[in-house]
Amino acid sequence: MIELQDKEYWNTAWDKYFDHYQQDLRHAYYINAFLNNDEHKILEIAAGSFRDFHLLNKLGRNCFAFDYCENTVKKAKKLFPQYQEKISLQNAFSTSYQDKEFDFSYHNGFWGCFENEQIIQFAKEQLRVTKKRFAFTVHNGHNPEFIQYFDKLKRYDVLYAVRFFTLNDIYQIINALDIGIENVKIYPVGKYKKYLEDELILQGKTDAQTIRNCIENQKFNNLFTSEKLLCIVENLE
């Protein structure tokens, strides 16, 4: 996992993965589904491929994004020239944004590169720049099949050596941030691009309320078969 914290690794890795990652837009639709009407200014942290950022802007959201790798920021500005002014090069542990500048912030998979101490440090910065709610999506530690799949792949590609999180792992971090558990909502998402919310996206049924209803109605019924856990922290004001 330590290699996943190395900027030089990511600068090289994005040459391989940047274009490929543009093909899977599911997470952007998940985020779009849970945005409230009063959340006007949005931030994607550690944006990587910037695919979510791009789609959210296409959907009419006012989304900004940054990453700390020069290579992927350069690629994103070239691929999405119409949004260049919203893309920046920054470190997630110490950004240049004002306090409470964004109504909503999120990231996908970023926690999977770190241990708790680093996550807490980074999460405090996310809290600082976010006014209303923030979200984080992690790999689901309750899905043994998905864990085994990554265990096989990471023998050949360190990209898959990410950390998986259980509900208890998440609650432990939330407690360390002095946030009440009652303010955290967790949704198992990601059905291998085939079922439930992913099937709706595949069919083009991507309006926010339809996707949100599908995810909310499942509750924890698919905890052991979903790829990721989408976690939303509320009541920051």
Side-chain angles (χ1 to χ4, degrees), residues 26-201:
R26 292 176 296 162
H27 188 260
Y29 286 117
Y30 305 156
I31 293 295
N32 185 60
F34 282 95
L35 287 171
N36 292 332
N37 292 333
D38 62 348
E39 291 167 337
H40 304 293
K41 192 173 183 181
I42 303 156
L43 175 66
E44 180 174 11
I45 295 165
S49 67
F50 289 82
R51 57 185 174 180
D52 292 0
F53 151 85
H54 176 235
L55 181 55
L56 287 171
N57 277 293
K58 284 183 65 177
L59 293 173
R61 306 295 188 177
N62 182 26
C63 188
F64 294 73
F66 72 85
D67 200 276
Y68 84 142
C69 289
E70 296 89 347
N71 191 16
T72 194
V73 168
K74 181 179 179 181
K75 287 178 179 293
K77 287 185 175 182
K78 182 177 180 180
L79 186 61
F80 311 125
Q82 67 273 43
Y83 302 122
Q84 278 193 34
E85 73 282 359
K86 293 184 172 184
I87 298 170
S88 62
L89 179 70
Q90 299 205 51
N91 188 316
F93 291 90
S94 179
T95 69
S96 64
Y97 300 120
Q98 300 297 313
D99 292 354
K100 309 302 179 185
E101 183 170 341
F102 298 91
D103 297 313
F104 184 97
S105 65
Y106 72 94
H107 53 85
N108 179 17
F110 187 51
W111 279 15
C113 301
F114 302 100
E115 301 294 345
N116 284 10
E117 182 178 350
Q118 296 163 300
I119 290 171
I120 291 165
Q121 178 187 351
F122 154 71
K124 287 179 179 178
E125 177 66 4
Q126 187 175 6
L127 279 166
R128 184 187 70 79
V129 303
T130 308
K131 184 188 302 182
K132 297 179 182 294
R133 300 188 302 156
F134 78 81
F136 55 93
T137 303
V138 296
H139 289 78
N140 180 11
H142 296 281
N143 184 340
E145 183 178 336
F146 201 45
I147 293 171
Q148 290 172 10
Y149 175 66
F150 269 56
D151 281 343
K152 291 179 181 178
L153 292 178
K154 72 183 182 184
R155 299 174 192 169
Y156 312 101
D157 192 336
V158 73
L159 178 73
Y160 296 94
V162 296
R163 179 179 172 188
F164 280 69
F165 292 79
T166 65
L167 296 178
N168 284 338
D169 293 331
I170 294 167
Y171 292 142
Q172 183 179 355
I173 294 168
I174 292 300
N175 280 329
L177 294 169
D178 294 322
I179 296 172
I181 297 301
E182 68 277 6
N183 293 322
V184 183
K185 294 186 177 180
I186 300 177
Y187 305 95
V189 296
K191 307 302 187 298
Y192 303 96
K193 306 179 186 178
K194 295 180 180 179
Y195 311 110
L196 296 165
E197 67 271 14
D198 288 0
E199 184 178 12
L200 290 173
I201 292 169

